[in-house]
Amino acid sequence: MRVRVLGCSGAIAQGCRTTAFLLDDDTLIDAGTGVGDLSLEEMLRIDHVLLSHSHLDHVAALPLMLDAVAASRLARGAPALQVHALPGTIDALRDHLFNDTIWPDFTAIPSVQAPLMRFVPFQVGDVVAIGRKCIEILPAVHTVPAAGFAAAARAGGPQWVFSGDTGRNPAFWARVNQLDVAHLIIETAFSDRETDLALRSQHLAPSLLGEELARLAPEQRPQIHITHTKPAETALIIEEIHRLDTQPRRDIRWLSAGQVFEV
């Protein structure tokens, strides 16, 4: 399984694109502004989108991508784009985005019977199978219904794990410690000087990240990649994470757009 990082920033700025990962060539994990760097042909190959939650930085490109490829998908007779999400996320998208006010309702275009997009609900603990890929839905703790993901090229294979946007999350670590984790993508949205804001908004700061990583079993030795930092805070967050005294010492790296994982 090939995982391409399209965007991993917590906000936009020059060179900064929000969260989106492309699995092989047919599946998106989140649909932030990083999707805009794909060619039209690459967008046309995407048949599945899994959303961690409804916040704009994770869904902003979904309506725009659909608009960009709609005519070509219809001309090719392509099936409806499958958008997999928690029921609460689907409700938010129906009410506030695909509502014929902010954006057309693509679940009814060109018809309800043959739409451009279908919502497919999932629950924490479900496994979404796409070809041979298996993507398990993991718990997240956020200000809206939210999830993380554990993706493998095949059932029982090594996992690429994404925390999603989350604060303190014991249930996440309980499940992660049962998996064969090769790569762990985990958010750290704020610096420690904004720890109170991180706690209120259900995100992590470096000190909170250190507490969470202490829940990772010692025998788990994944590469850990930090995502979702605010551009104005990135340098400080990196410095604070480098000062973490994790036991055992962890292989903590910085995630960047354009990075590719082979799992």
Side-chain angles (χ1 to χ4, degrees):
M1 181 180 68
R2 185 174 186 264
V3 182
R4 176 178 164 191
V5 183
L6 303 178
C8 54
S9 176
I12 60 168
Q14 187 176 32
C16 297
R17 289 155 179 78
T18 65
T19 304
F21 304 97
L22 182 63
L23 275 57
D24 295 329
D25 61 358
D26 62 350
T27 304
L28 278 178
I29 299 287
D30 280 342
T33 61
V35 174
D37 285 341
L38 294 174
S39 69
L40 284 172
E41 190 58 40
E42 287 174 318
M43 291 182 194
L44 273 167
R45 296 190 194 111
I46 295 168
D47 288 323
H48 298 269
V49 179
L50 283 78
L51 298 176
S52 64
H53 65 295
S54 61
H55 282 162
L56 190 61
D57 53 326
H58 295 255
V59 305
L62 177 59
L64 298 172
M65 180 184 75
L66 274 164
D67 192 45
V69 300
S72 296
R73 289 186 73 90
L74 291 173
R76 295 182 183 191
L81 180 74
Q82 306 288 298
V83 178
H84 308 258
L86 292 166
T89 301
I90 293 172
D91 289 345
L93 294 178
R94 288 189 187 279
D95 291 344
H96 303 297
L97 185 53
F98 295 102
N99 59 4
D100 289 326
T101 299
I102 299 299
W103 207 251
D105 180 5
F106 281 116
T107 67
I109 297 173
S111 71
V112 172
Q113 294 74 28
L116 282 162
M117 177 182 73
R118 292 189 191 278
F119 287 122
V120 183
F122 58 54
Q123 300 288 346
V124 170
D126 288 351
V127 175
V128 177
I130 300 171
R132 295 184 62 196
K133 291 189 292 291
C134 295
I135 305 171
E136 181 176 338
I137 314 306
L138 301 177
V141 178
H142 201 37
T143 55
V144 295
F149 303 102
R154 54 180 172 75
Q159 305 275 340
W160 178 89
V161 173
F162 171 46
S163 71
D165 284 13
T166 190
R168 291 167 167 156
N169 191 359
F172 173 82
W173 299 107
R175 180 57 183 145
V176 164
N177 284 332
Q178 297 172 339
L179 302 175
D180 177 9
V181 184
H183 298 276
L184 172 61
I185 315 300
I186 187 166
E187 71 118 279
T188 309
F190 295 101
S191 66
D192 276 338
R193 67 186 177 190
E194 294 187 311
T195 297
D196 287 345
L197 178 56
L199 289 168
R200 290 200 306 273
S201 60
Q202 296 286 12
H203 281 288
L204 296 178
S207 59
L208 300 173
L209 173 70
E211 294 173 9
E212 291 300 287
L213 290 179
R215 301 178 185 271
L216 185 61
E219 61 270 18
Q220 291 277 13
R221 306 297 291 180
Q223 290 182 8
I224 298 171
H225 305 266
I226 304 302
T227 188
H228 205 282
T229 62
K230 304 297 183 184
E233 295 276 283
T234 295
L236 178 57
I237 293 169
I238 292 173
E239 178 184 337
E240 291 175 342
I241 288 175
H242 283 164
R243 292 202 298 261
L244 287 176
D245 184 21
T246 58
Q247 296 298 327
R249 295 295 297 174
R250 296 295 183 181
D251 181 5
I252 302 177
R253 309 182 183 195
W254 204 253
L255 198 67
S256 59
Q259 192 170 354
V260 174
F261 300 91
E262 296 286 347
V263 183

